[in-house]
Amino acid sequence: MIDSEDAAKAWLATVPGVDSTVLARLECLVSLLADENERQNLVSHDSLGHIWQRHVADSMQLLSHVPRETPLPWLDLGTGAGFPGLVIAATRPGQRVILTESRSRRADWLRRAVQSLDLSNVEVIGQRLETLDQLSVSVISARAFAPLDRLLKLAARFSTGDTYWVLPKGRSAREELDGLIGWAHNFEVVQSVTDPSAGIVIGTLAGVRTREKGRSA
């Protein structure tokens, strides 16, 4: 379990694909975030003291649940402060990453961060998810975006039977999955490596609603 800033940084250095260039980008992201947080509340002030554990490593762990090569874009819903989307993009420069953020000030900051981090693989879409054009993606992530059932209603149209969903849900992961009704899915809950009380909902979705309760792995 990653339980400190030092432990988070040590763990990050062991992640496949994380080299000196990636670490430098992550350092830059942390600096940019701390500076911008003085102007708009991107993350809680208290969490800034644990940013590597609670935000960077917490985002990075999602990569262990997704194949290294995914041909279609990674779609990150409600990216906000850049987590997990910017961490994913910085670590996988060959992966196209689409960040959605409906709040204009945050979307503007994400665009500035993308430019500062020199991430040519990122597109920021500053609009509500309901108005986003149809597209198919390889991965869908969302961190503190919406309850699981509502999230699926909003984003299932972007998913194929092969799309991986990686959804950090905190302490509510098991409860939200157990309460999911009407979806044909292969979801399960895995333990977060940054918080002993937190879970991540991962798996695939058939893409259609059924009348019976979806299987909760």
Side-chain angles (χ1 to χ4, degrees):
M1 185 64 61
I2 298 170
D3 58 1
S4 69
E5 291 294 88
D6 287 343
K9 291 180 180 180
W11 177 82
L12 286 165
T14 70
V15 174
V18 174
D19 55 18
S20 59
T21 299
V22 172
L23 289 173
R25 278 182 167 147
L26 295 177
E27 290 275 6
C28 182
L29 172 59
V30 168
S31 177
L32 291 169
L33 176 62
D35 182 62
E36 184 64 21
N37 219 56
E38 296 296 319
R39 288 180 283 275
Q40 59 172 314
N41 188 34
L42 294 171
V43 299
S44 70
H45 181 75
D46 289 344
S47 74
L48 284 176
H50 309 277
I51 191 167
W52 289 95
Q53 176 189 358
R54 291 181 56 181
H55 297 298
V56 181
D58 192 63
S59 297
M60 186 74 75
Q61 68 176 314
L62 301 185
L63 288 174
S64 65
H65 303 296
V66 175
R68 184 159 181 79
E69 299 299 329
T70 54
L72 299 176
W74 183 309
L75 178 64
D76 187 38
L77 310 178
T79 304
F83 305 113
L86 288 182
V87 173
I88 301 303
T91 308
R92 288 191 176 178
Q95 169 83 61
R96 184 185 173 207
V97 179
I98 300 172
L99 312 180
T100 69
E101 177 51 59
S102 63
R103 290 163 289 190
S104 60
R105 287 188 68 197
R106 295 195 177 195
D108 288 343
W109 179 77
L110 288 170
R111 294 187 183 99
R112 295 195 302 272
V114 165
Q115 185 174 21
S116 296
L117 296 171
D118 193 25
L119 295 175
S120 61
N121 57 325
V122 178
E123 177 184 1
V124 178
I125 299 180
Q127 62 191 67
R128 292 181 63 83
L129 190 59
E130 297 92 328
T131 67
L132 190 63
D133 290 340
Q134 180 68 39
L135 74 157
S136 295
V137 299
S138 288
V139 185
I140 295 175
S141 60
R143 189 172 185 248
F145 179 71
L148 183 57
D149 184 65
R150 174 165 169 72
L151 192 156
L152 295 183
K153 291 175 183 177
L154 288 170
R157 64 191 179 97
F158 306 119
S159 180
T160 72
D162 296 322
T163 299
Y164 291 87
W165 294 71
V166 282
L167 311 171
K169 301 300 294 184
R171 296 180 180 180
S172 68
R174 172 51 60 187
E175 180 181 359
E176 289 191 37
L177 183 54
D178 287 346
L180 188 63
I181 297 174
W183 292 96
H185 65 82
N186 293 292
F187 290 149
E188 63 177 323
V189 175
V190 297
Q191 173 68 55
S192 169
V193 302
T194 62
D195 183 344
S197 65
I200 306 168
V201 174
I202 66 169
T204 58
L205 182 70
V208 295
R209 288 182 66 90
T210 66
R211 292 186 178 182
E212 296 179 358
K213 185 173 182 178
R215 179 168 62 86
S216 298

